[in-house]
Amino acid sequence: MLRKPILAANWKMNLGRSEEALAFFRKIRPGLNEIEDIDLVICPPATVLQQFAELLAPTRMALGAQNAHWEDRGAQTGEISALMLVDLCEYVILGHSERRATESSQETDQAINNKLKAVLSHGMTPILCLGENLEQNRAGQTDAFVSGQVRAAFEGVDAAQAATCVIAYEPIWAIGTGEAATPADANRVIGISIRGALAKLYDEDVAQQVRVQYGGSVTADNIGEFMVMPEVDGALVGGASLKPEFVELAREIVKSMPSGS
Ligand code: PGA
């Protein structure tokens, strides 16, 4: 099955002030405007989502949020619900490892499952992040852990909705460290642990439809090696998405496609 590549920029807690976000976007916009045939998603901080919804509207790029609460409204001080994002975003990053285990958020599998269902119910596309930590990796627990994360996240989600989701396989030890997973390892985990778990939960069709990105120290230099892997459909990029290099990274993805030049 030919899946359309998807590249997402996760700006995390950077460029959250209007002027700095705009200044950076002006640098990358001309290059990104020329990118065709792949889905491009910019996920800036919540404070500039409104501004970017307007900036991206005339382009082929889509807007994504970095998190969403599952309740539509209520006594949840400081939270942003999926409902609040509906008029702004097409995508929502969910379950990033920086949110799963950090002091400020402590996201559980149950919370991530609730969020996934809420984002889908509002017609947006989740970019569900999962991946093992270094200890689990060294102990040979990657496959069991990652497939468990898939099962927990998709609990109660029907096949038609599951097929529309994007998953980002991000080994925690590779995020922001400059030490990416090997393309072969990423390919194996995505094929066996992620698509394998989806095939068991649903069927092979769903497993083949879901687009799976690799994330963790992706750069313009190494993305080509990931994209030639049959299971890898794109990347979720942190550090390199904050640099003009991001345009080059997008070009490398286009080049890696069968029709790319
Ligand atoms: P990185 O981050 O590209 O800086 O490793 C990836 C991510 O956290 O999504």
Side-chain angles (χ1 to χ4, degrees):
M1 172 178 300
L2 215 56
R3 292 176 294 261
K4 190 176 185 187
I6 176 164
L7 171 64
N10 176 10
W11 287 1
K12 307 189 181 184
M13 201 171 69
N14 300 292
L15 303 178
R17 296 183 74 189
S18 180
E19 277 310 309
E20 55 174 1
L22 187 60
F24 176 66
F25 186 65
R26 280 199 187 112
K27 283 190 203 152
I28 59 170
R29 179 170 49 193
L32 292 182
N33 271 340
E34 285 167 18
I35 303 289
E36 289 179 14
D37 303 324
I38 69 172
D39 286 334
L40 261 176
V41 187
I42 308 289
C43 306
T47 44
V48 294
L49 282 175
Q50 177 71 53
Q51 180 185 14
F52 272 73
E54 286 158 29
L55 281 172
L56 298 186
T59 75
R60 273 189 295 266
M61 291 173 246
L63 184 63
Q66 298 176 13
N67 181 37
H69 196 277
W70 60 91
E71 299 283 0
D72 281 350
R73 52 179 67 79
Q76 306 284 353
T77 303
E79 292 288 342
I80 296 176
S81 70
L83 176 67
M84 293 177 191
L85 297 170
V86 139
D87 299 326
L88 302 171
C89 298
E90 282 176 56
Y91 293 86
V92 185
I93 296 173
L94 295 176
H96 194 284
S97 60
E98 288 158 11
R99 298 194 55 85
R100 282 185 189 257
T102 51
E103 279 166 33
S104 59
S105 39
Q106 298 271 1
E107 277 183 17
T108 61
D109 279 341
Q110 181 62 61
I112 291 161
N113 174 245
N114 292 343
K115 289 174 181 213
L116 191 90
K117 289 192 266 197
V119 166
L120 285 167
S121 79
H122 287 298
M124 296 178 286
T125 301
I127 299 177
L128 169 71
C129 302
L130 32 84
E132 82 288 358
N133 65 26
L134 191 58
E135 228 178 18
Q136 292 161 328
N137 182 282
R138 288 197 174 141
Q141 295 164 351
T142 299
D143 290 336
F145 182 73
V146 168
S147 57
Q149 283 184 314
V150 173
R151 282 193 299 276
F154 285 93
E155 174 79 44
V157 176
D158 69 35
Q161 287 197 312
T164 68
C165 292
V166 175
I167 294 178
Y169 169 56
E170 301 204 303
I172 296 170
W173 47 270
I175 295 176
T177 59
E179 190 199 332
T182 66
D185 278 347
N187 192 63
R188 188 186 53 78
V189 176
I190 293 172
I192 294 175
S193 318
I194 298 180
R195 295 199 201 282
L198 289 168
K200 274 195 202 135
L201 275 177
Y202 303 103
D203 54 35
E204 193 54 40
D205 235 36
V206 172
Q208 290 304 321
Q209 279 181 64
V210 169
R211 291 186 291 174
V212 187
Q213 302 170 309
Y214 167 74
S217 298
V218 172
T219 64
D221 287 339
N222 66 16
I223 185 64
E225 296 162 28
F226 285 98
M227 292 308 297
V228 295
M229 293 289 147
E231 306 291 2
V232 179
D233 303 319
L236 179 58
V237 182
S241 76
L242 297 167
K243 301 178 192 156
E245 166 192 355
F246 188 66
V247 175
E248 198 46 45
L249 208 160
R251 285 194 192 118
E252 288 297 325
I253 294 185
V254 175
K255 273 194 220 161
S256 74
M257 294 165 69
S259 57
S261 52

